Amino acid sequence: MHGKIEYLLFFIPDRIVDNFEIWRVFTPAFLHFGLFHILFNILIFSFFGRLIENSFSWVKLLLMFFIFSGTSNLFQYLISQSYTFGGLSGVVSGVVGYCVIIALSPCADSRYKMAVGLCLINIVFNIVEYFSDSHVAFGAHAAGLAAGLVWGIIDYRKIVAGMGRKETLGDIFGRLVDILKNR
């Protein structure tokens, strides 16, 4: 069956549109191309996913999986024009980006702060990846991170509004810079 399972899971636009195989938008997140690839993704996703699940709900985490995987897979296809990609990295980048912004909240669990360092590593990795000739899915990483940051900003603003405060994007990024200065 070598290759048949992968073929059923790849993001193939013609199959999505013509045959309504919608699962293909999300399933590349289940494909991995090596033991360390899947282990690293599972380790990071399980840590930050558990934080999100415990702080909010498993429903939110599941919704994040679908939104971050769909966004990152679509963007990766648009960037590469190839359907032979896979991995949970776009989703991982999304939950890390989300957790970075939530870490700025006054009521955030201190474990969210770990996401700040991982986000910086992710950004540096994406910049290096963009200018290199490797086969890592730059588009998936970048789109997942961007989606996670946007969702985090939306939720962060809801959290502080519930505390009777209103913060601008400048305030949010100012808090992020303060955290980075103190590291």
Side-chain angles (χ1 to χ4, degrees):
M1 291 200 49
H2 180 70
K4 291 183 184 193
I5 291 176
E6 290 89 347
Y7 181 75
L8 288 172
L9 301 179
F10 280 136
F11 186 100
I12 304 173
D14 293 344
R15 307 275 314 184
I16 295 168
V17 174
D18 296 343
N19 298 350
F20 203 65
E21 296 177 2
I22 282 297
W23 69 83
R24 291 178 181 276
V25 173
F26 313 105
T27 53
F30 297 113
L31 297 172
H32 285 79
F33 304 109
L35 182 62
F36 288 114
H37 185 207
I38 195 168
L39 288 177
F40 180 76
N41 279 336
I42 288 173
L43 176 71
I44 301 300
F45 181 75
S46 66
F47 179 82
F48 289 107
R50 189 171 296 121
L51 277 176
I52 293 167
E53 182 180 4
N54 291 339
S55 298
F56 300 99
S57 73
W58 67 268
V59 174
K60 181 173 214 146
L61 182 61
L62 184 63
L63 188 57
M64 284 180 168
F65 172 84
F66 284 113
I67 289 174
F68 296 159
S69 64
T71 301
S72 60
N73 292 334
L74 176 62
F75 197 74
Q76 178 58 35
Y77 177 78
L78 292 173
I79 293 281
S80 68
Q81 293 297 301
S82 170
Y83 62 81
T84 56
F85 60 86
L88 192 62
S89 302
V91 177
V92 168
S93 296
V95 297
V96 167
Y98 179 84
C99 289
V100 163
I101 301 300
I102 296 303
L104 305 175
S105 168
C107 58
D109 184 311
S110 63
R111 293 176 292 175
Y112 278 100
K113 304 249 187 281
M114 290 177 64
V116 175
L118 277 175
C119 186
L120 289 175
I121 291 168
N122 191 309
I123 290 169
V124 169
F125 176 77
N126 275 305
I127 291 169
V128 170
E129 172 54 33
Y130 182 76
F131 292 106
S132 73
D133 195 26
S134 74
H135 300 287
V136 176
F138 161 76
H141 289 124
L145 181 62
L149 290 170
V150 168
W151 195 333
I153 289 168
I154 291 167
D155 281 1
Y156 175 86
R157 293 183 81 183
K158 287 178 188 175
I159 290 168
V160 297
M163 302 169 100
R165 296 177 10 202
K166 183 176 180 181
E167 293 194 15
T168 65
L169 285 177
D171 296 331
I172 294 169
F173 288 108
R175 290 176 60 89
L176 183 58
V177 168
D178 289 343
I179 287 175
L180 294 173
K181 283 181 183 177
N182 294 327
R183 287 194 167 252

